Amino acid sequence: MARWGSRAHPAMQVPSPSVREAASMYGTAVAVFLVILVAALQGSAPAESPFPFHIPLDPEGTLELSWNVSYAQETVYFQLLVRELKAGILFGMSDRGELENADLVVLWTDGDSAYFGDAWSDQEGQVRLDPQQDYQLLRAQRTPGGLYLLFKRPFATCDPNDYLIEDGTVHLVYGLLEEPLRSLEAINTSGLHTGLQRVQLLKPNISQPALPADTRTMEIRAPDVLIPGQETTYWCYISELPAGFPRHHIVMYEPIITGGNEALVHHMEVFQCAAEFESVPHFSGPCDSKMKPERLNYCRHVLAAWALGAKAFYYPEETGLAFGGPGSSRFLRLEVHYHNPLMIKGRRDSSGIRLYYTATLRRFDAGIMELGLVYTPVMAIPPQETAFVLTGYCTDKCTQLALPPSGIHIFASQLHTHLTGRKVVTVLARDGREREIVNRDNHYSPHFQEIRMLKKVVSVHPGDVLITSCTYNTEDRRLATVGGFGILEEMCVNYVHYYPQTRLELCKSAVDPGFLQKYFHLVNRFNSEEVCTCRQASVPEQFASVPWNSFNREVLKALYGFAPISMHCNKSSAVRFQGEWDRQPLPEVESRLEEPTPHCPASQAQRPTGPTVLSIGGGQG
Amino acid sequence: MARWGSRAHPAMQVPSPSVREAASMYGTAVAVFLVILVAALQGSAPAESPFPFHIPLDPEGTLELSWNVSYAQETVYFQLLVRELKAGILFGMSDRGELENADLVVLWTDGDSAYFGDAWSDQEGQVRLDPQQDYQLLRAQRTPGGLYLLFKRPFATCDPNDYLIEDGTVHLVYGLLEEPLRSLEAINTSGLHTGLQRVQLLKPNISQPALPADTRTMEIRAPDVLIPGQETTYWCYISELPAGFPRHHIVMYEPIITGGNEALVHHMEVFQCAAEFESVPHFSGPCDSKMKPERLNYCRHVLAAWALGAKAFYYPEETGLAFGGPGSSRFLRLEVHYHNPLMIKGRRDSSGIRLYYTATLRRFDAGIMELGLVYTPVMAIPPQETAFVLTGYCTDKCTQLALPPSGIHIFASQLHTHLTGRKVVTVLARDGREREIVNRDNHYSPHFQEIRMLKKVVSVHPGDVLITSCTYNTEDRRLATVGGFGILEEMCVNYVHYYPQTRLELCKSAVDPGFLQKYFHLVNRFNSEEVCTCRQASVPEQFASVPWNSFNREVLKALYGFAPISMHCNKSSAVRFQGEWDRQPLPEVESRLEEPTPHCPASQAQRPTGPTVLSIGGGQG
């Protein structure tokens, strides 16, 4: 009777022809509006626009997620639009986008009734109902455009099988159910059509500063590009500022996405080229094209960066990013990452970024500073590690020398590693005590590097220490992964956006090379192996000859946590501030920040203890 | 009106004279029986004797705990007898017996009403009510002998402030409230009269084997000793078996405690002296007395051991501990530990152990085997460590050689360390995979070393590996703590009781001394310090000269987890089995046993959400 889809609008796919026939008995061609009020709305959704954030989940764009965050309730409100519903859908979150060990909400039908329940998948992908139902259905609504599911989830549930929604990247996952099920436990995610989408779910709750009256806009857009029919394309396009374009401040920028390409445009960045070149050749093509002029490699100064799910980026009221005027290049490089896993052909695109700028310069120029590790092979990760941590320091000595007495104010941050990076965090320490997190991503992905506004501006004073740690997974590597520029080498960097601009561009460290040589010597001594400890061998060669047993791994960790460091406290990548920067002591941190204990939802009584039955009834709208 | 104690029996202490006067208004001299039924009995207590286990909590014996364990419900049923109630009482559990970070049940009065609630104390000793009430009051009953409180607690509650009741030692704590309180939060444990008692709460649920028809008993008792008026006394008493006493099997033993001394007799052991001495001089006096004959030091073969809270010890039906007959000494040493913190004087004691033995020898002789670490200084713990782990191995090579093809069966175990030991565990591994826990104590105390029956007999086969790990706390030490016999040195031993007896008495390991010398060499090289790496220095001297920074600590850990070991696979403490036992590889363990996830109590609805009010009413009995 209440068989799933049995009263469906014709636009909805239904499980079998016989059901489709039944559907025609009930269905009408006009806009049928089936409102399924499942439960009294508990609590009220935040005011304003109820769902300011949107993201397509699948490459076809048949699943669309909108959401909002209530920091007061520590709850995310989700609205999932399912354009083509078959027998149900799984949606949820997992550590790195896998469908195993995922925290799921499942909408399914057994043929008779439809259900909505909080579930999880174990390490084999077997789905089970949660004893504690933390996803709470607020409304289910059918429209001609598809089924809207409105539900909420607290950040933390204290159910050990649930995902903890944290700042930083969240890997959203989905799966499509094609057939009705006897029970939820009949689902194994390995048999489904599934996918993942990365997003920063907990967008900061920052009020947008008003734009100046003389704000003008400039669009840096792809020139009607034919998106290649391949999974990954980085498109490069050179444009230029008008001749004589004077110094301005960028105060805001926002994405422009060509309609219909929302699921294809993965991220975009606008770079300014190096000032030393009079001109840069015009180019529009894949960034890895052999035809690409070599000079484009010198267009690396970030002016704007956007990634999927991000909205407009506003500079704080008192600051702007300078561009134009003497001493800066007129040439801009737009880079668009097209992610086209279905290899759709023939799609054209003019996406880009719209810069909002003012001639009335704001009080402060914004600056970008690089924190973390120097790009050097002395910092290496042994192979077959699941969570090896490397740490780079910006020491008190350097901040003492290079920061103004009133300090600097970090308002945004972009984390960066290469392929094996899994987590990144920067912590501010003062007087030997960790004080606050500058930025942290416990589910960092090298494939999703956004500039993120900080929830709270972090002020750094002379004498403060900034500690950036990256966690790597090298399970798929046979040899050590050393630091460096190559894509198979590693980096650990946090580009922090701050004001007022200082001359300090780079505050990074690496282990003292002499101590690393002592390490190779002891490896040789303990392992009776032919580790080349001769100075003629390069550090990557030395690392490649280490036999990676537990002792050599542990001692390398101990070395990195103990040996003195070599500091790069630099005005530009090559010019150091004056002073002694080699064999510096590691900053001592006596007290660590405590992990905040997640608040479990207070009233457990309100939550349903089992799945919600969607009694599909309602009238015509 | 319902003021605490206002209808108390005269035997009860009341908070102030005025209340005592009020009490006389209501009190009667005959046996008043105030039955306070607080809540409907939820679930039913286990059958049989409801509370088979008893222990006095305080040295005066005014608090007495009885308990029972339901493994089916994963719940402990407590009955607390409070002989002299003032304004209330705290009772609970904590990691090592401290009153801070303790999981507490509190009975208190605000002067008007009396309350029973589940609470906890933070690290400052501040008491707070638990949002989740997991101690559940079943009955409160006043008798002339005191107030009986009957309550239950699941092993695991999944409340992060609650104690997890595990196998092994539990540190019970108590505190006495002298005055009525405005609220529970007014309590800070630092201001109370408090104490602790160690006990194995989760006694194994083993059916007692029937005793043979020809069982006889023998009592080894202290000879009416005058207990010294000092906190700690180990009393030594030599007794002897009748001349010509033939070989028998001990099949059971139980404690005999002189009435009134229940809180003073802490533990007792019966040792057999070494067979090589024709005679041992008679002696009765403190074991550390200068008058004690030196020969008593050769009476170390354990026949029976009892500690506070333990009941009778039954050998499994098929085995018994041999004593008497040719080749064994007729002399027995009884050791009684009197724990007398109140320094009570003039108390006499005849406590001891009653052996039950049979002349009809059982099928198997029981044996005792020593697992863990060799007593050698090469195994050391750096100072200022909170949880440093040392591990000793009984390797596959040794069990292959020394165990019978059908294996041995471990039925009991006694864990042993010196003063810095905090945890001990022995795990059985087979084919590189951990299979089962032989015995584990996560709250081990060197002051509470019982022989414990295992919940489940563990069979060890030739080729199996037994891994014994001890966790130490050396926060109060200035220098490294090395392995050895001295009380300020350390041990890591598990004496396992098993059958059938084999010739393998000792299966222990220590790090290869050559690798330790490499360690001292590298410490010297890395630290540019004057660490004496010369071979002439003794190992304790070398350890004493190590500068204990993070690197040296971590590398020592890595060394112990990597370097080859020297095995003691011995028939007796000095005689090895034939074979090569030096520079043996560490057993490889690829898969570890997973920690069992504690079951949280299923139905949260049943539990009260706040304290229970004891409406003190009732009639005369």
Side-chain angles (χ1 to χ4, degrees):
Chain A
M1 169 50 194
R3 187 179 170 92
W4 184 257
S6 59
R7 297 185 187 187
H9 183 269
M12 306 205 53
Q13 290 190 20
V14 285
S16 69
S18 65
V19 177
R20 195 173 295 152
E21 286 157 27
S24 68
M25 293 168 57
Y26 297 97
T28 62
V30 296
V32 171
F33 221 94
L34 291 178
V35 179
I36 310 156
L37 259 171
V38 175
L41 277 121
Q42 292 177 350
S44 54
E48 300 176 50
S49 157
F51 297 108
F53 312 111
H54 312 277
I55 197 165
L57 288 183
D58 62 324
E60 295 95 335
T62 62
L63 290 173
E64 195 178 305
L65 183 73
S66 306
W67 77 96
N68 198 0
V69 181
S70 164
Y71 285 98
Q73 297 170 23
E74 299 197 339
T75 294
V76 181
Y77 286 80
F78 295 97
Q79 181 186 269
L80 186 62
L81 166 59
V82 188
R83 290 213 166 82
E84 292 166 18
L85 184 65
K86 293 183 180 171
I89 187 155
L90 282 70
F91 164 80
M93 299 168 272
S94 70
D95 182 27
R96 308 203 58 77
E98 61 287 352
L99 264 293
E100 299 79 31
N101 296 317
D103 181 7
L104 299 167
V105 66
V106 185
L107 176 74
W108 81 100
T109 176
D110 55 11
D112 291 322
S113 300
Y115 305 91
F116 174 98
D118 184 0
W120 57 286
S121 63
D122 66 16
Q123 55 190 358
E124 270 82 41
Q126 174 62 51
V127 175
R128 295 165 203 280
L129 195 70
D130 257 318
Q132 191 175 305
Q133 296 284 301
D134 295 292
Y135 282 99
Q136 218 176 309
L137 184 62
L138 299 175
R139 201 169 58 211
Q141 188 176 27
R142 288 218 180 146
T143 74
L147 177 70
Y148 285 89
L149 284 175
L150 175 64
F151 50 96
K152 65 175 187 176
R153 230 294 298 257
F155 298 172
T157 67
C158 298
D159 176 341
N161 292 319
D162 278 358
Y163 182 89
L164 173 67
I165 303 178
E166 294 173 293
D167 292 339
T169 309
V170 174
H171 289 71
L172 302 175
V173 297
Y174 64 88
L176 307 177
L177 297 174
E178 309 276 339
E179 303 286 344
L181 301 160
R182 301 177 308 286
S183 77
L184 179 79
E185 281 71 24
I187 308 175
N188 189 298
T189 57
S190 61
L192 304 180
H193 174 71
T194 63
L196 81 94
Q197 185 67 284
R198 297 181 185 93
V199 73
Q200 183 194 18
L201 216 46
L202 300 192
K203 299 284 183 192
N205 191 8
I206 304 172
S207 60
Q208 296 171 354
L211 296 182
D214 65 346
T215 301
R216 301 183 60 182
T217 65
M218 176 188 294
E219 295 185 352
I220 317 290
R221 296 170 68 162
D224 196 26
V225 164
L226 184 66
I227 301 176
Q230 61 194 34
E231 179 162 353
T232 301
T233 302
Y234 281 77
W235 196 272
C236 274
Y237 171 66
I238 294 290
S239 65
E240 62 185 292
L241 298 176
F245 187 79
R247 186 175 173 86
H248 285 82
H249 267 167
I250 299 173
V251 295
M252 192 268 263
Y253 59 84
E254 64 186 7
I256 315 162
I257 312 287
T258 300
N261 291 350
E262 290 80 1
L264 292 172
V265 180
H266 185 269
H267 82 244
M268 301 184 286
E269 285 190 81
V270 177
F271 301 93
Q272 193 164 31
C273 298
E276 58 257 46
F277 300 113
E278 281 276 301
S279 74
V280 175
H282 279 253
F283 176 75
S284 180
C287 298
D288 59 356
S289 160
K290 284 175 190 161
M291 307 294 291
K292 190 187 76 168
E294 202 265 336
R295 201 163 271 189
L296 266 61
N297 295 335
Y298 294 88
C299 306
R300 293 183 167 274
H301 175 67
V302 175
L303 283 191
W306 170 89
L308 213 61
K311 302 220 304 168
F313 184 94
Y314 284 81
Y315 279 85
E317 234 158 348
E318 53 276 52
T319 191
L321 186 66
F323 81 134
S328 82
S329 174
R330 288 204 302 122
F331 296 91
L332 307 179
R333 177 168 66 94
L334 172 70
E335 183 179 296
V336 184
H337 173 191
Y338 295 110
H339 180 62
N340 183 8
L342 301 176
M343 310 203 183
I344 297 165
K345 288 195 175 69
R347 196 73 72 88
R348 304 201 76 93
D349 185 67
S350 306
S351 297
I353 285 179
R354 187 179 293 121
L355 302 174
Y356 290 70
Y357 60 95
T358 172
T360 318
L361 297 183
R362 287 179 163 183
R363 186 167 167 213
F364 300 115
D365 279 346
I368 299 176
M369 190 187 300
E370 220 175 289
L371 305 175
L373 283 179
V374 179
Y375 310 133
T376 157
V378 300
M379 299 305 296
I381 307 135
Q384 309 290 325
E385 294 279 348
T386 56
F388 197 90
V389 179
L390 292 182
T391 300
Y393 300 88
C394 176
T395 59
D396 52 343
K397 190 166 161 183
C398 180
T399 59
Q400 194 75 60
L401 197 70
L403 299 192
S406 57
I408 58 168
H409 311 287
I410 303 177
F411 58 87
S413 152
Q414 185 180 19
L415 307 174
H416 179 68
T417 73
H418 287 169
L419 301 174
T420 67
R422 294 294 180 268
K423 297 182 186 197
V424 185
V425 60
T426 297
V427 181
L428 170 80
R430 185 174 297 147
D431 302 328
R433 302 180 58 180
E434 290 187 358
R435 302 292 173 145
E436 60 187 309
I437 304 288
V438 177
N439 193 10
R440 160 151 60 184
D441 194 341
N442 284 340
H443 306 275
Y444 172 86
S445 166
H447 307 298
F448 190 58
Q449 305 185 13
E450 297 182 286
I451 299 181
R452 290 184 182 146
M453 293 299 289
L454 303 187
K455 279 193 179 145
K456 185 182 153 294
V457 169
V458 175
S459 297
V460 185
H461 295 284
D464 286 356
V465 178
L466 291 161
I467 304 167
T468 301
S469 295
C470 296
T471 305
Y472 302 94
N473 181 308
T474 57
E475 277 178 298
D476 63 348
R477 302 278 170 104
R478 213 178 45 80
L479 294 175
T481 299
V482 297
F485 287 93
I487 187 64
L488 293 176
E489 298 171 330
E490 267 305 342
M491 292 190 171
C492 179
V493 181
N494 184 355
Y495 298 96
V496 291
H497 297 242
Y498 71 96
Y499 67 87
Q501 195 174 25
T502 70
R503 288 189 305 160
L504 183 63
E505 281 200 3
L506 217 136
C507 192
K508 311 204 295 184
S509 73
V511 72
D512 173 76
F515 268 76
L516 184 66
Q517 290 307 320
K518 289 190 190 191
Y519 169 77
F520 289 127
H521 181 86
L522 93 84
V523 163
N524 203 9
R525 195 182 159 87
F526 263 80
N527 297 272
S528 1
E529 303 250 2
E530 289 301 307
V531 182
C532 191
T533 59
C534 36
R535 286 271 177 167
Q536 297 93 307
S538 71
V539 168
E541 282 164 354
Q542 288 176 302
F543 270 118
S545 67
V546 170
W548 289 109
N549 54 44
S550 72
F551 184 72
N552 296 338
R553 289 169 194 273
E554 290 302 318
V555 177
L556 184 64
K557 260 188 231 171
L559 180 89
Y560 286 148
F562 166 76
I565 54 177
S566 181
M567 269 302 298
H568 284 205
C569 179
N570 291 15
K571 296 176 190 174
S572 68
S573 63
V575 186
R576 289 189 179 191
F577 277 88
Q578 219 172 11
E580 177 53 48
W581 299 109
D582 290 333
R583 288 191 158 247
Q584 298 295 298
L586 274 187
E588 278 179 36
V589 179
E590 280 129 37
S591 88
R592 307 261 162 204
L593 277 179
E594 269 187 52
E595 286 294 321
T597 28
H599 297 131
C600 307
S603 56
Q604 308 196 329
Q606 281 189 10
R607 287 174 302 174
T609 54
T612 309
V613 180
L614 288 87
S615 50
I616 300 184
Q620 301 186 358
Chain B
M1 165 56 194
R3 187 179 169 91
W4 186 257
S6 59
R7 297 186 184 188
H9 183 270
M12 306 206 51
Q13 288 192 21
V14 283
S16 68
S18 66
V19 176
R20 194 174 295 152
E21 284 159 26
S24 68
M25 293 168 56
Y26 297 95
T28 62
V30 295
V32 172
F33 221 93
L34 291 178
V35 179
I36 311 156
L37 259 171
V38 174
L41 277 121
Q42 293 176 347
S44 54
E48 301 177 46
S49 157
F51 297 108
F53 311 111
H54 311 277
I55 197 167
L57 289 184
D58 62 324
E60 294 95 334
T62 61
L63 291 173
E64 195 178 306
L65 183 75
S66 306
W67 77 98
N68 199 359
V69 181
S70 164
Y71 284 98
Q73 299 171 23
E74 299 198 337
T75 293
V76 181
Y77 286 80
F78 294 98
Q79 181 186 269
L80 185 61
L81 167 58
V82 187
R83 290 212 166 82
E84 291 167 18
L85 183 64
K86 292 185 181 172
I89 188 158
L90 281 69
F91 164 79
M93 299 169 272
S94 70
D95 181 28
R96 307 204 58 77
E98 61 287 352
L99 264 294
E100 297 79 31
N101 296 316
D103 180 8
L104 298 168
V105 66
V106 185
L107 177 73
W108 82 99
T109 177
D110 56 10
D112 291 322
S113 301
Y115 305 92
F116 175 98
D118 185 359
W120 56 286
S121 62
D122 66 15
Q123 53 189 359
E124 269 82 43
Q126 174 62 51
V127 175
R128 295 165 204 282
L129 196 68
D130 258 317
Q132 190 176 306
Q133 296 284 301
D134 296 292
Y135 282 100
Q136 218 175 308
L137 184 63
L138 300 174
R139 203 169 57 213
Q141 190 176 25
R142 286 216 181 150
T143 74
L147 175 71
Y148 284 89
L149 286 175
L150 175 64
F151 50 96
K152 66 176 185 175
R153 229 293 300 256
F155 297 172
T157 67
C158 297
D159 176 340
N161 292 320
D162 277 359
Y163 182 90
L164 172 67
I165 303 177
E166 295 173 290
D167 292 340
T169 308
V170 174
H171 289 72
L172 302 175
V173 297
Y174 63 88
L176 307 177
L177 297 174
E178 308 276 339
E179 302 286 344
L181 301 162
R182 300 178 309 285
S183 77
L184 180 78
E185 282 70 23
I187 308 174
N188 189 301
T189 57
S190 62
L192 304 179
H193 175 70
T194 63
L196 81 94
Q197 185 67 284
R198 298 183 185 90
V199 73
Q200 183 194 19
L201 216 47
L202 300 191
K203 299 283 183 193
N205 191 8
I206 304 171
S207 60
Q208 295 172 356
L211 296 182
D214 66 346
T215 301
R216 302 185 60 183
T217 64
M218 176 188 295
E219 295 185 351
I220 318 290
R221 297 170 67 162
D224 196 26
V225 163
L226 184 65
I227 300 176
Q230 60 195 36
E231 179 162 353
T232 302
T233 303
Y234 281 79
W235 195 271
C236 275
Y237 171 66
I238 295 291
S239 64
E240 63 186 291
L241 299 175
F245 186 78
R247 187 172 172 87
H248 284 82
H249 267 168
I250 299 173
V251 293
M252 193 269 264
Y253 58 83
E254 64 184 10
I256 316 161
I257 311 287
T258 300
N261 292 351
E262 289 81 0
L264 292 172
V265 180
H266 184 270
H267 82 244
M268 301 184 287
E269 286 190 79
V270 177
F271 301 93
Q272 191 164 34
C273 298
E276 59 256 46
F277 300 112
E278 282 276 301
S279 75
V280 174
H282 280 252
F283 177 75
S284 180
C287 298
D288 59 357
S289 159
K290 285 177 188 157
M291 305 296 291
K292 188 186 77 167
E294 201 266 338
R295 201 162 269 192
L296 266 63
N297 295 338
Y298 296 88
C299 306
R300 293 183 167 274
H301 174 68
V302 175
L303 283 191
W306 171 89
L308 212 61
K311 302 222 304 173
F313 184 94
Y314 284 81
Y315 279 84
E317 236 159 348
E318 54 275 51
T319 192
L321 186 68
F323 82 134
S328 82
S329 174
R330 287 204 301 120
F331 294 91
L332 307 180
R333 176 169 67 93
L334 172 69
E335 184 179 296
V336 184
H337 173 190
Y338 295 109
H339 180 62
N340 184 7
L342 300 176
M343 309 202 181
I344 298 164
K345 289 197 173 70
R347 195 74 71 88
R348 304 199 77 92
D349 185 69
S350 305
S351 297
I353 285 178
R354 186 178 296 120
L355 302 174
Y356 289 70
Y357 60 97
T358 171
T360 318
L361 296 185
R362 287 178 164 184
R363 186 166 165 215
F364 299 115
D365 278 346
I368 299 175
M369 190 187 299
E370 220 174 289
L371 305 174
L373 283 179
V374 179
Y375 310 134
T376 156
V378 299
M379 300 305 296
I381 307 134
Q384 309 291 326
E385 294 280 347
T386 54
F388 197 90
V389 179
L390 293 182
T391 300
Y393 300 88
C394 176
T395 60
D396 52 344
K397 190 166 163 182
C398 180
T399 59
Q400 195 74 59
L401 198 72
L403 299 192
S406 57
I408 58 167
H409 310 287
I410 303 177
F411 57 88
S413 152
Q414 186 180 20
L415 307 175
H416 178 68
T417 74
H418 287 171
L419 300 176
T420 68
R422 294 295 179 267
K423 297 181 185 199
V424 185
V425 60
T426 297
V427 181
L428 170 81
R430 185 173 297 148
D431 301 327
R433 302 180 56 180
E434 290 186 0
R435 303 293 174 142
E436 60 186 309
I437 303 288
V438 177
N439 192 9
R440 161 150 62 184
D441 195 341
N442 284 339
H443 306 275
Y444 172 86
S445 166
H447 306 297
F448 191 58
Q449 305 185 13
E450 297 182 285
I451 299 181
R452 290 184 182 148
M453 293 300 287
L454 303 187
K455 277 192 180 148
K456 184 183 153 296
V457 169
V458 175
S459 297
V460 186
H461 296 283
D464 287 355
V465 178
L466 292 160
I467 305 168
T468 302
S469 295
C470 296
T471 305
Y472 302 94
N473 181 309
T474 57
E475 277 177 299
D476 63 347
R477 301 279 170 103
R478 212 177 47 79
L479 294 175
T481 300
V482 297
F485 289 93
I487 187 65
L488 293 176
E489 298 171 332
E490 265 307 337
M491 291 190 171
C492 177
V493 182
N494 183 356
Y495 298 95
V496 292
H497 297 242
Y498 71 96
Y499 66 88
Q501 194 173 27
T502 71
R503 288 189 307 160
L504 182 62
E505 281 199 3
L506 216 136
C507 192
K508 312 203 294 184
S509 74
V511 73
D512 173 76
F515 268 75
L516 185 67
Q517 289 308 319
K518 290 191 191 190
Y519 168 77
F520 289 127
H521 181 86
L522 93 85
V523 162
N524 204 9
R525 197 181 156 86
F526 264 79
N527 297 273
S528 1
E529 302 249 4
E530 290 301 309
V531 182
C532 191
T533 59
C534 37
R535 286 270 177 171
Q536 298 91 305
S538 71
V539 168
E541 281 164 354
Q542 287 176 303
F543 270 119
S545 67
V546 171
W548 290 109
N549 55 43
S550 73
F551 185 72
N552 297 337
R553 290 170 194 272
E554 290 302 318
V555 177
L556 183 64
K557 261 189 229 171
L559 180 92
Y560 287 148
F562 166 76
I565 53 176
S566 182
M567 271 301 299
H568 284 205
C569 179
N570 291 13
K571 297 176 190 175
S572 67
S573 62
V575 187
R576 289 190 180 191
F577 277 87
Q578 221 173 8
E580 177 52 49
W581 300 107
D582 289 333
R583 286 189 158 248
Q584 298 296 296
L586 273 188
E588 277 179 36
V589 180
E590 279 129 38
S591 88
R592 307 260 162 205
L593 278 179
E594 271 187 51
E595 286 294 321
T597 27
H599 297 132
C600 306
S603 56
Q604 310 196 330
Q606 281 190 12
R607 287 174 302 173
T609 54
T612 309
V613 180
L614 287 89
S615 51
I616 300 184
Q620 301 189 358

